Amino acid sequence: MTTSHITEFHQRDLPAAQQFAVQGMHLDRYTSNTLESYLYGKLATYQAFDPATIALGAYVDQRLVGFIFARTMPNSAHRLNWHQRLYVRLAERVISWSPYQAEATTYDQANQQMFRQLRDPQPDAEITFFAVDPQMTGHHIGSQLLAAVEHRLAGKRLYLYTDSSCNYPFYFKRGFTANATRTLTLSPNEPVLTCYLLTKQL
């Protein structure tokens, strides 16, 4: 087990976080276009970082090896600067022309449907983005990050979205339960995908 230093995420590490996210989100399943993958990975990272009221990084020898972003509802932190916000607006427009936009829309709609299915008590906080350097898999970096964010959110009901292409059993082993599921076929060439909305009372 590698012991990392968990501290506030440094904005200068957004490019590294983006690389972890591209691999963790398996964007290569949707496009072989390197530029398209880069644009979407950067957009997704910015969109999750901007409203995060908690942004933690795991560092080993001052190198980012993982991160976790969360927000307490209904709060937003507005962490992006003006040129990063401009990038988000432009990238959203460019990606809306992508042939994969329909798949992304279907996925987002499934998440929205699952959230509407939630019963009281409503959740207080959401994990919006969570990734670990693939080279550090098996070193319990993810467990350390999750424990740190749970400590900061003690007493709250936490939720997150995940799916069967990710390491979703990780969350079940740590006390999360599935409150809603949706099964999707995003394209004829893709395997069936199961989407989960998971919650945990801290």
Side-chain angles (χ1 to χ4, degrees), residues 29-30 103 185-193:
R29 294 181 310 166
Y30 304 107
E103 296 178 15
T185 302
L186 295 177
S187 74
N189 299 323
E190 291 293 327
V192 173
L193 189 71

Side-chain angles (χ1 to χ4, degrees), residues 20-163:
F20 302 164
V22 165
Q23 293 170 291
M25 296 165 69
H26 304 290
L27 293 183
D28 58 334
R29 294 181 310 166
Y30 304 107
T31 177
S32 58
N33 186 310
T34 303
L35 177 60
E36 200 170 57
S37 177
Y38 169 84
L39 289 173
Y40 188 78
K42 186 172 182 178
L43 174 62
T45 305
Y46 279 6
Q47 286 176 325
F49 180 65
D50 189 41
T53 54
I54 298 174
L56 301 178
Y59 293 86
V60 173
D61 297 328
Q62 300 184 336
R63 181 178 70 88
L64 183 74
V65 295
F67 68 92
I68 189 166
F69 300 158
R71 68 181 185 97
T72 53
M73 301 169 68
N75 303 318
S76 290
H78 306 297
R79 294 174 178 266
L80 297 183
N81 57 39
W82 71 268
H83 59 85
Q84 290 169 329
R85 292 179 189 280
L86 178 61
Y87 173 85
V88 168
R89 289 196 293 271
L90 292 175
E92 286 175 338
R93 183 169 298 181
V94 170
I95 288 172
S96 69
W97 301 329
S98 165
Y100 302 99
Q101 180 60 31
E103 296 178 15
T105 299
T106 298
Y107 190 91
D108 290 342
Q109 289 174 343
N111 285 344
Q112 293 167 13
Q113 291 168 2
M114 290 191 295
F115 188 84
R116 288 195 293 269
Q117 192 176 327
L118 269 180
R119 298 173 181 261
D120 290 336
Q122 289 296 299
D124 307 294
E126 177 189 7
I127 293 177
T128 57
F129 222 21
F130 184 15
V132 172
D133 182 347
Q135 296 182 354
M136 297 297 290
T137 300
H139 291 271
H140 304 284
I141 303 298
S143 297
Q144 294 168 41
L145 282 164
L146 184 60
V149 85
E150 288 184 351
H151 177 73
R152 295 195 180 204
L153 295 171
K156 297 187 180 298
R157 189 184 188 205
L158 182 61
Y159 83 100
L160 60 90
Y161 299 108
T162 188
D163 62 58

Side-chain angles (χ1 to χ4, degrees), residues 156-176:
K156 297 187 180 298
R157 189 184 188 205
L158 182 61
Y159 83 100
L160 60 90
Y161 299 108
T162 188
D163 62 58
S164 54
S165 73
C166 303
N167 184 22
Y168 66 93
F170 168 87
Y171 298 104
F172 292 137
K173 293 175 183 176
R174 287 155 183 83
F176 283 81

